[in-house]
Amino acid sequence: MSEENLNPNQDAFEAALASSADETTEAAVAVAEVEVPVEEDPNAEFRRALENAPGEWFVVHSYAGYEKKVKANLQNRINTLHMEDYIYQIEVPEEEFTEIKNGQRKTVKRNVYPGYVLVRLDLTDESWSAVRNTPGVTGFVGNAHHPSPLSLDEVEKILAPRPAKKDGKPDIKHVDFEVGESVTVWMAHLQRCLHQSQRSCQSRQN
């Protein structure tokens, strides 16, 4: 009688182990073949554009309500003073929402940060002067003569396109004040970005 026939239980046990190992390997291969969906970053392309764009972003104070006028004035000065190679982009962040006033609904746009304009430029004495002396501009945010640029993360938070709401419903705001009334505008996000930018500049100077 052969040695194999003397241990039939052992043969069955080893066969079961081999079968189990094969099943485990097949299961591992199956799991490896399952593609895990990777959530796409909606701002990835915008971030790459920021990184590759020349210049740095600075924040400029303007008279509230004159942000678009300041943008137009500065664009004219760029052409007149031939500053196209130093001042590249001017942005007045806006948001769109549905407004309900006196029972009537309409879609309107408004400035996200009243009294502020963002400018992308290479900071030189000439570009600083071109921006600072633009009608409607009251100064750079931060050190008046040596302003601190925003970080790319800060610029992204301010300028990146807002993702569409999943339910597809627009923001609706009820307006219960009249033209001429005094209102308080809260700009915590921009103020926080500016505060962080000023702190980082002070750290670099120290």
Side-chain angles (χ1 to χ4, degrees):
M1 183 179 294
S2 65
E3 188 175 338
E4 289 181 313
N5 293 333
L6 292 175
N7 300 290
N9 293 334
Q10 182 177 352
D11 290 344
F13 179 71
E14 291 178 352
L17 283 179
S19 175
S20 176
D22 291 341
E23 292 177 357
T24 302
T25 302
E26 292 175 0
V29 171
V31 171
E33 291 178 350
V34 174
E35 294 184 1
V36 178
V38 178
E39 185 175 351
E40 183 178 352
D41 183 355
N43 292 332
E45 185 175 348
F46 180 84
R47 190 179 301 108
R48 284 193 295 269
L50 284 181
E51 294 171 349
N52 296 327
E56 295 179 293
W57 285 93
F58 295 84
V59 183
V60 176
H61 275 303
S62 73
Y63 295 115
Y66 286 81
E67 299 85 4
K68 289 186 177 180
K69 184 66 175 177
V70 165
K71 179 178 180 178
N73 289 340
L74 180 52
Q75 287 174 330
N76 290 334
R77 284 176 62 81
I78 291 171
N79 297 330
T80 302
L81 300 174
H82 306 291
M83 297 298 295
E84 296 90 344
D85 293 335
Y86 298 93
I87 305 175
Y88 309 106
Q89 187 176 352
I90 312 162
E91 292 292 341
V92 178
E94 292 184 319
E95 64 179 352
E96 186 176 279
F97 65 97
T98 300
E99 178 183 274
I100 299 178
K101 186 175 182 180
N102 298 327
Q104 297 184 345
R105 177 185 302 216
K106 62 179 180 179
T107 301
V108 297
K109 289 185 176 181
R110 70 175 181 186
N111 293 344
V112 180
Y113 307 112
Y116 294 95
V117 178
L118 276 69
V119 184
R120 179 166 60 86
L121 54 85
D122 285 324
L123 187 63
T124 65
D125 291 342
E126 292 76 14
S127 63
W128 179 92
S129 178
V131 174
R132 177 62 185 85
N133 295 313
T134 297
V137 170
T138 61
F140 280 86
V141 171
N143 188 306
H145 296 284
H146 302 284
S148 303
L150 295 174
S151 70
L152 290 181
D153 286 342
E154 292 166 342
V155 177
E156 181 182 348
K157 291 175 183 177
I158 295 172
L159 293 182
R162 285 358 183 227
K165 296 180 66 175
K166 294 183 179 180
D167 58 10
K169 296 180 180 179
D171 289 330
I172 299 178
K173 300 184 184 296
H174 295 266
V175 181
D176 56 1
F177 54 83
E178 301 293 335
V179 175
E181 288 187 47
S182 297
V183 297
T184 300
V185 179
W186 297 97
M187 296 172 289
H189 177 67
L190 181 59
Q191 293 288 3
R192 184 165 55 253
C193 286
L194 300 180
H195 179 65
Q196 292 172 348
S197 178
Q198 292 171 4
R199 288 182 59 186
S200 62
C201 178
Q202 291 172 356
S203 299
R204 290 195 297 268
Q205 291 175 350
N206 294 333

